[in-house]
């Protein structure tokens, strides 16, 4: 996950591609696209998980709703670009519960 974190840390806006699904899901979920770019370009994720080859779940604390997190599913095309696949928010307790020791 180190390489994902490094890529996210060096991104600029021109390296972010929005998939059709991302655009449609964002319209339905009504997330602030400016906030999403701000998170991608300037915030450190609280969690990164691999979902399949080249695809990752990146979680950020929601900057406006402290009880929620923002989940971005991204695909890394190469070391120069990412594609935003989908976005959703969920209660922060979901993330915390996923990593509690059994």
């Amino acid at each position: 996950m180190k390489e994902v974190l490094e890529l996210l840390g060096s991104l600029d806006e021109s390296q972010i591609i929005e998939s059709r699904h991302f655009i449609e899901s964002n319209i339905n979920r009504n997330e602030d696209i400016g906030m999403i770019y701000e998170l991608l370009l300037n915030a450190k994720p609280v969690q990164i998980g691999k979902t399949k080859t080249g695809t990752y779940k990146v979680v950020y604390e929601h900057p406006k709703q402290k009880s929620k997190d923002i989940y971005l599913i991204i695909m890394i095309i190469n070391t120069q670009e990412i594609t935003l696949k989908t976005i959703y928010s969920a209660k922060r307790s979901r993330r915390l519960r996923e990593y509690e020791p059994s």
Side-chain angles (χ1 to χ4, degrees):
M1 302 309 154
K2 181 181 174 185
E3 59 277 354
V4 177
L5 194 55
E6 288 174 1
L7 177 60
L8 290 173
S10 66
L11 275 180
D12 67 49
E13 202 168 317
S14 68
Q15 295 171 290
I16 302 170
I17 299 165
E18 297 176 18
S19 70
R20 181 185 325 226
H21 179 77
F22 174 82
I23 293 167
E24 290 171 0
S25 66
N26 192 46
I27 288 169
N28 293 334
R29 295 176 179 137
N30 201 26
E31 295 291 350
D32 176 357
I33 194 68
M35 176 188 69
I36 301 307
Y37 275 77
E38 181 69 25
L39 290 171
L40 279 167
L41 298 172
N42 299 309
K44 185 175 179 180
V46 293
Q47 179 183 332
I48 300 174
K50 189 171 189 171
T51 60
K52 61 182 178 180
T53 304
T55 304
Y56 300 87
K57 174 176 64 175
V58 183
V59 184
Y60 293 93
E61 291 181 346
H62 198 299
K64 296 178 182 175
Q65 298 177 24
K66 297 301 178 190
S67 64
K68 291 191 173 189
D69 286 333
I70 297 284
Y71 286 71
L72 292 170
I73 307 301
I74 65 168
M75 187 169 75
I76 297 179
I77 299 172
N78 54 49
T79 58
Q80 302 298 317
E81 295 177 321
I82 66 166
T83 297
L84 302 176
K85 302 297 283 180
T86 196
I87 179 175
Y88 58 95
S89 59
K91 290 183 179 179
R92 181 166 294 163
S93 58
R94 173 184 170 173
R95 171 177 47 93
L96 299 175
R97 195 173 48 247
E98 286 176 356
Y99 289 94
E100 283 182 351
S102 319

